[in-house]
C-alpha cells in the first residue's frame, strides 16, 4: 500500500470556516505541553475564544496523533449521564454493546496516540472529571484537550488561561475585528484614518473575540465612527461612575444585549424562542416551534435570514442544507429572555410535540424508500431528540415518555444507539405503571435493544413482548422469528421450521409489525445457513430481498444480500458472493448500521479469500477488526479470538507468509473509514463510495 494510505488521518475535526487570527503564544504553549501532560484544560470566560483555539490547536497537532483527533462538543448536552455516550458517538463507537459503555470506549480508543477534545465542559464538570480520569487511566496513548470556564480538577491537569486578545492599534484584537469586518463588508479596509477608531472599539469591547465579531457585523449598516459612538453610549448606560471599566463577562453580555436592542421586536421574540433548540434546527422545525402570538409561521424564514445577517444565527454551510444554529453564549441570552417573557413552558412543549411527530413519521416510513433520509435526519437531530426525551420524562403525563422512547425503537436498534436507548426506556418504564398507554411498546423496544447474540432467554423475551404489542394494537401476530432462533440454538430445528411456515403472511402495521415479518425471513436464512442448507438459504434470502424491494427498503434488504452472499460462498460461487456482499456493505454504510457494516466486512474476507485474493482478504481482516470495535463489539469476548478470525488468519498467513500477512492486516486496520469502505467495495483504498458522507454513521468517523 502507498504512503498516502498509511498516513491517512482519522478524526472528526470540522474545517475552519474563517480566518484564525492571533493566539501564537497560546498555540506554542499548547504544543509544548503535550510532552509533559496528557490533560490540558483551556479556561476562561464565555466568548473569549476557548473553543476556536482548541480546534485550531487540534488541527495543528494531527501529525502527533496518528490514532486520530476527535472533537466532542458538549454545549448541547443537557444530561450529564450521557457524556460517555457523547464521547462514543463522536469517536465513531456504536453503542450496540452490553458491556459498560465506558469500558467499550476505552477499548475503542486504545489504538495508538490520539487526542480527544472535550469542548464546553463546565455544565457537566463532575461527569467530565470522572470520565476523563477513567479514560486516562485505561488508555495509555490518550491525551485530552478540554475547554471549560473552570478546571476539571483531575490529577495531573495542566491549565492554560485564555485571556482576551491583546489591545493596541497593531495587536490581535484589531486584526480579528478587521478580518471579520472585511468578511461582513468587503469594501472595508483598515487605514491610517480609521485605525484609531478600530482600536477604540476593540478596547471598549475588552478584546473579547465574540464581542468583536458581533460588533464587526454592525458595519453593514453603520460607518465606523457611528459604531464607536453607539458602543460608547450603550456601554455608558450600564457603567456607574464608580466602575469606569466593565468586568469581562459583563462586557460580553452588554455587547450581546446591544445586538439584541438593534433587533426588531419580532426578531427578538424569535431569538428567544429559538433558544429551546439544541444542536441546530431547520426552517420547518422553527416554524412549528416558534410560531404563535404576533409571530406568524410565514414570517420565520425572513426573520431567520435577518438574524443570520446580524450574526445572531449561523447558517450551516456544510453537511446539511437549510440548517441553522446559535453559539451557546448567544443561546443562553435568548433563553434568559424567554424566561423573562414567561413563555419557556409553552415553547418547550411545542418543541416536544414537534419531535414526537418527527419520531412517529420516522417509524412509519422506516421500512421504505425514505430509510436513509430518516437515518441521516435523526442523527442530525440527536441533540434535539435528547432535549425532547428529557422534557417527556419530566412531563406529568407518563405516557408521553413511554410513547417517545418506544417509538424511537428503530433509531436505537438500527442506527447504533442501543445503550442510550436502553437508558431512556428504563427511565420511562420505571416511572409508569403497566396499564399506562405506551407501556407495551416501550417494553418491547427495551427488550429489542437489550438482546445479545446467542442470548436465548433475551431473544424469547423480545418475541413475547411483540405478541403483547400486536394484540394490544389489534395487529396480525406473525410467527416468532426470535423464538425460532432460540429453538435452533437448543437443537430443536424441526420445530423451529414449523414456526416459519406462514411467517410472511399478513399486512404490515405500526409498532414494528413489518419489521418482524422481514426479520422472520432473515432469521430463517440464518438458521438454514447454519445447517449448511445453502440452496434453501439463498431462496429465503431472495424472498427477503424481494419483500424489501417492494418497500424500497435498504437496511433489511442488506441482510438479504448478506445471506445470498453467504450462500454463494457455501456453494462455491465466490464472484457471485462478492457482488451481493458489496451491495450489502454499501447499504449498511449508507444507513449508519455499523454492526451490519462489520458483519458484511467479515463476509467479504471469506469471499475475497475464496476468489483468490488473499492479500485483499488480509487487509479486510484488519479493516474488520476496526469496524467491530467501532460497533462496540464483541459483546461476548475479544474479536481476535473468534473461530472465524483465527481460521482465516491461519489460512491467509499460510498463503502470504508471516511478513506479508502482518503488513496487509496492519495496513487494513490503519485505513480511514472512507478508504476502508472503498477497499471493500472495489478493491482500491482511494476515494469514497458513490453518495459518500462527510462522516461515518452518527456524524463521526468510524
Amino acid at each position: 500500500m502507498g504512503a498516502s494510505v498509511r498516513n491517512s488521518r482519522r478524526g472528526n475535526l470540522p474545517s475552519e470556516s474563517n480566518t484564525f487570527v492571533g493566539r501564537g503564544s497560546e498555540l506554542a504553549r499548547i504544543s509544548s505541553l503535550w510532552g509533559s501532560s496528557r490533560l490540558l484544560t483551556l479556561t476562561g470566560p464565555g466568548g473569549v475564544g476557548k473553543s476556536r483555539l482548541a480546534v485550531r490547536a487540534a488541527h495543528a497537532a494531527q501529525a502527533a496523533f496518528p490514532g486520530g483527533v476527535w472533537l466532542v462538543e458538549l454545549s448541547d448536552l443537557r444530561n450529564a449521564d450521557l457524556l460517555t455516550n457523547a464521547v462514543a458517538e463522536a469517536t465513531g463507537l456504536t453503542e450496540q454493546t452490553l458491556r459498560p459503555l465506558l469500558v467499550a470506549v476505552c477499548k475503542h480508543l486504545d489504538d495508538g496516540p490520539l487526542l480527544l477534545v472535550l469542548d464546553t465542559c463546565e455544565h457537566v464538570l463532575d461527569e467530565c472529571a470522572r470520565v476523563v480520569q477513567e479514560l486516562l487511566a485505561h488508555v495509555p496513548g490518550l491525551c485530552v484537550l478540554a475547554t471549560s470556564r473552570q478546571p476539571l480538577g483531575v490529577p495531573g491537569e495542566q491549565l492554560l488561561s485564555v485571556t482576551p486578545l491583546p489591545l493596541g492599534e497593531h495587536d490581535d484584537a484589531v486584526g480579528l475585528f478587521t478580518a471579520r469586518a472585511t468578511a461582513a463588508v468587503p469594501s472595508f479596509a483598515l487605514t491610517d484614518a480609521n485605525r484609531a477608531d478600530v482600536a477604540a472599539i476593540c478596547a471598549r469591547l475588552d478584546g473579547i473575540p465574540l464581542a468583536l465579531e458581533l460588533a464587526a457585523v454592525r458595519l453593514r449598516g453603520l460607518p465606523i465612527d457611528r459604531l464607536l459612538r453607539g458602543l460608547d453610549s450603550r456601554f455608558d448606560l450600564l457603567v456607574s461612575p464608580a466602575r469606569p471599566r466593565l468586568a469581562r463577562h459583563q462586557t460580553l453580555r452588554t455587547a450581546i444585549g446591544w445586538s439584541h436592542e438593534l433587533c426588531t421586536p419580532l426578531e427578538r421574540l424569535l431569538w428567544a424562542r429559538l433558544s429551546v433548540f439544541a444542536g441546530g434546527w431547520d426552517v420547518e422545525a422553527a416554524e412549528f416551534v416558534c410560531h404563535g402570538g404576533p409571530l406568524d409561521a410565514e414570517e420565520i424564514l425572513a426573520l431567520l435570514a435577518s438574524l443570520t445577517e446580524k450574526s445572531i444565527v449561523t447558517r450551516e454551510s456544510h453537511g446539511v442544507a437549510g440548517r441553522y444554529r446559535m453559539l451557546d453564549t448567544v443561546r443562553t441570552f435568548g433563553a434568559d429572555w424567554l424566561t423573562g417573557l414567561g413563555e419557556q413552558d409553552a415553547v418547550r412543549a411545542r418543541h416536544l410535540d414537534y419531535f414526537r411527530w418527527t419520531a412517529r413519521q420516522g417509524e412509519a416510513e422506516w421500512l421504505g424508500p425514505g430509510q436513509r433520509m430518516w437515518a441521516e435526519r435523526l442523527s442530525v437531530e440527536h441533540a434535539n431528540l435528547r432535549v425532547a426525551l428529557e422534557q417527556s420524562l419530566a412531563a406529568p403525563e407518563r405516557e408521553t415518555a413511554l410513547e417517545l422512547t418506544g417509538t424511537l425503537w428503530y433509531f436505537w436498534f438500527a442506527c447504533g444507539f442501543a445503550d442510550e436507548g436502553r437508558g431512556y426506556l428504563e427511565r420511562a418504564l420505571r416511572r409508569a405503571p403497566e396499564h399506562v398507554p405506551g407501556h407495551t411498546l416501550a417494553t418491547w423496544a427495551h427488550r429489542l435493544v437489550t438482546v445479545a447474540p446467542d442470548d436465548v432467554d433475551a431473544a424469547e423475551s423480545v418475541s413475547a413482548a411483540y405478541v403483547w404489542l400486536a394484540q394490544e394494537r389489534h395487529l396480525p401476530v406473525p410467527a416468532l422469528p426470535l423464538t425460532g432462533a432460540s429453538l435452533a440454538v437448543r437443537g430443536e430445528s424441526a420445530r423451529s421450521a414449523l414456526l416459519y411456515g406462514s411467517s410472511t403472511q399478513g399486512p404490515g402495521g405500526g409498532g414494528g409489525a413489518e419489521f418482524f415479518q422481514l426479520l422472520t425471513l432473515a432469521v430463517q436464512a440464518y438458521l438454514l445457513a447454519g445447517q449448511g442448507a445453502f440452496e434453501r438459504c439463498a431462496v429465503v434470502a431472495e424472498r427477503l430481498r424481494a419483500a424489501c424491494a417492494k418497500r424500497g427498503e435498504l437496511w433489511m434488504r442488506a441482510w438479504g444480500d448478506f445471506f445470498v452472499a453467504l450462500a454463494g460462498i457455501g456453494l462455491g460461487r465466490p464472484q457471485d458472493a462478492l457482488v451481493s456482499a458489496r451491495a450489502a456493505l454499501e447499504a449498511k454504510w449508507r444507513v449508519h448500521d455499523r454492526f451490519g457494516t462489520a458483519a458484511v466486512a467479515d463476509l467479504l474476507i471469506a469471499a475475497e479469500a475464496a476468489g483468490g485474493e488473499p492479500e485483499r482478504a488480509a487487509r479486510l481482516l484488519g479493516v474488520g477488526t476496526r469496524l467491530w470495535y467501532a460497533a462496540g463489539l464483541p459483546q461476548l469476548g475479544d474479536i481476535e479470538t473468534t473461530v472465524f478470525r483465527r481460521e482465516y488468519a491461519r489460512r491467509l498467513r499460510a498463503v502470504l507468509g508471516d511478513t506479508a500477512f502482518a503488513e496487509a492486516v496492519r495496513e487494513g486496520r490503519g485505513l480511514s473509514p472512507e478508504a476502508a469502505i472503498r477497499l471493500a467495495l472495489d478493491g482500491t483504498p482511494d476515494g469514497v463510495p458513490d453518495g459518500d458522507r462527510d462522516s461515518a454513521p452518527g456524524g463521526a468517523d468510524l
Side-chain angles (χ1 to χ4, degrees), residues 41-42 50-51 54 117-122 145-149:
T41 302
L42 308 182
K50 301 184 297 296
S51 297
V117 183
L118 300 178
D119 185 32
T120 314
C121 299
E122 59 269 4
L145 176 62
T147 73
S148 177
R149 297 188 186 185

Side-chain angles (χ1 to χ4, degrees), residues 20 23-34 37 39-45 48-54 57 144-152 156-164:
F20 186 86
R23 302 295 192 193
S25 61
E26 289 94 335
L27 288 168
R29 176 65 174 154
I30 292 170
S31 179
S32 68
L33 284 171
W34 292 134
S37 177
L39 169 61
L40 172 60
T41 302
L42 308 182
T43 61
V48 80
K50 301 184 297 296
S51 297
R52 185 64 195 276
L53 175 59
V144 177
L145 176 62
T147 73
S148 177
R149 297 188 186 185
Q150 62 189 101
L152 271 61
E157 179 182 27
Q158 289 271 9
L159 300 177
L160 177 61
S161 177
V162 181
T163 58

Side-chain angles (χ1 to χ4, degrees), residues 247-436:
R248 286 170 182 155
H249 72 278
Q250 188 174 348
T251 302
L252 179 60
R253 281 194 63 83
T254 303
I256 296 174
W258 184 64
S259 295
H260 189 262
E261 286 188 357
L262 293 172
C263 292
T264 68
L266 287 182
E267 288 170 351
R268 295 178 200 169
L269 181 59
L270 180 58
W271 178 351
R273 291 177 177 177
L274 289 171
S275 68
V276 301
F277 288 102
W281 64 88
D282 59 22
V283 174
E284 179 187 73
E287 288 175 345
F288 184 95
V289 174
C290 299
H291 82 279
L295 187 55
D296 293 332
E298 294 77 12
E299 300 176 278
I300 286 176
L301 178 58
L303 291 170
L304 276 173
S306 181
L307 289 175
T308 302
E309 283 288 311
K310 294 178 171 69
S311 289
I312 303 304
V313 164
T314 301
R315 192 176 191 275
E316 296 184 346
S317 59
H318 61 278
V320 183
R323 194 164 178 84
Y324 301 81
R325 64 186 305 133
M326 282 192 288
L327 290 174
D328 192 51
T329 308
V330 175
R331 182 175 60 197
T332 299
F333 188 99
D336 291 344
W337 191 262
L338 188 68
T339 300
L341 294 173
E343 289 194 356
Q344 68 272 24
D345 290 341
V347 180
R348 288 172 184 166
R350 288 202 297 273
H351 181 277
L352 171 57
D353 287 342
Y354 179 79
F355 286 100
R356 287 171 66 193
W357 173 83
T358 299
R360 288 196 296 267
Q361 286 293 108
E363 183 194 29
E365 298 177 20
W366 178 249
L367 294 176
Q371 188 175 81
R372 182 186 177 191
M373 180 275 290
W374 279 108
E376 295 280 358
R377 180 174 178 181
L378 293 184
S379 294
V380 167
E381 296 290 9
H382 198 167
N384 278 312
L385 288 173
R386 285 171 169 165
V387 170
L389 286 158
E390 294 295 336
Q391 182 76 4
S392 73
L393 287 162
E397 304 83 6
R398 297 179 180 182
E399 62 269 20
T400 303
L402 290 171
E403 182 226 347
L404 181 55
T405 56
T407 299
L408 285 168
W409 63 267
Y410 59 99
F411 182 59
W412 310 133
F413 182 73
C415 296
F417 299 103
D419 182 82
E420 182 176 332
R422 279 194 295 274
Y424 278 121
L425 286 159
E426 286 165 3
R427 289 171 64 189
L429 288 165
R430 277 198 304 267
R431 67 191 295 267
E434 291 187 9
H435 61 80
V436 173

Side-chain angles (χ1 to χ4, degrees), residues 560-572:
D561 291 324
F562 175 92
F563 288 116
V564 167
L566 182 59
I569 293 171
L571 293 169

Side-chain angles (χ1 to χ4, degrees), residues 556-599:
M556 191 64 80
R557 175 174 176 160
W559 287 120
D561 291 324
F562 175 92
F563 288 116
V564 167
L566 182 59
I569 293 171
L571 293 169
R573 298 196 289 260
Q575 293 306 313
D576 293 341
L578 275 174
V579 173
S580 293
R582 286 170 175 167
L585 181 71
E586 187 163 6
K588 290 298 184 185
W589 173 253
R590 287 178 184 276
V591 298
H592 297 190
D593 181 3
R594 288 198 197 95
F595 175 88
T597 300

Side-chain angles (χ1 to χ4, degrees), residues 409-666:
W409 63 267
Y410 59 99
F411 182 59
W412 310 133
F413 182 73
C415 296
F417 299 103
D419 182 82
E420 182 176 332
R422 279 194 295 274
Y424 278 121
L425 286 159
E426 286 165 3
R427 289 171 64 189
L429 288 165
R430 277 198 304 267
R431 67 191 295 267
E434 291 187 9
H435 61 80
V436 173
H439 194 280
T440 305
L441 173 62
T443 298
W444 171 70
H446 179 261
R447 294 184 181 184
L448 182 66
V449 298
T450 304
V451 68
D454 300 325
D455 188 334
V456 173
D457 293 334
E460 290 184 337
S461 74
V462 174
S463 292
Y466 183 73
V467 171
W468 307 335
L469 180 62
Q471 291 172 342
E472 181 181 280
R473 295 191 170 190
H474 306 292
L475 299 171
V477 180
L480 308 181
L482 293 176
T483 298
S486 302
L487 293 169
V489 170
R490 291 185 170 125
E492 300 182 50
S493 300
R495 184 180 170 196
S496 69
L498 293 175
L499 283 172
Y500 291 119
S502 60
S503 60
T504 60
Q505 302 303 312
E514 288 187 90
F515 168 75
F516 249 58
Q517 292 166 9
L518 299 176
L519 186 60
T520 295
L521 289 171
V523 175
Q524 186 178 8
Y526 167 77
L527 294 175
L528 290 169
Q531 296 164 3
F534 294 115
E535 292 282 7
R536 293 172 60 200
C537 171
V539 170
V540 173
E542 289 288 3
R543 289 169 60 196
L544 174 58
R545 293 205 298 191
C548 293
K550 290 180 181 178
R551 298 169 170 84
E553 194 273 348
L554 284 177
W555 185 78
M556 191 64 80
R557 175 174 176 160
W559 287 120
D561 291 324
F562 175 92
F563 288 116
V564 167
L566 182 59
I569 293 171
L571 293 169
R573 298 196 289 260
Q575 293 306 313
D576 293 341
L578 275 174
V579 173
S580 293
R582 286 170 175 167
L585 181 71
E586 187 163 6
K588 290 298 184 185
W589 173 253
R590 287 178 184 276
V591 298
H592 297 190
D593 181 3
R594 288 198 197 95
F595 175 88
T597 300
V600 178
D602 271 3
L603 188 61
L604 279 164
I605 297 168
E608 294 283 14
E613 294 287 350
E615 185 178 359
R616 192 180 300 165
R619 290 194 188 106
L620 288 172
L621 196 65
V623 166
T625 299
R626 174 167 296 283
L627 293 176
W628 276 115
Y629 282 119
L633 295 171
Q635 296 172 334
L636 305 175
D638 191 327
I639 192 67
E640 301 298 345
T641 67
T642 61
V643 172
F644 174 87
R645 289 185 166 270
R646 287 202 311 270
E647 177 61 20
Y648 272 91
R650 183 189 65 78
R651 293 184 190 181
L652 294 170
R653 191 186 301 274
V655 173
L656 296 171
D658 290 347
T659 302
F661 170 78
E663 177 65 10
V665 171
R666 186 193 67 78

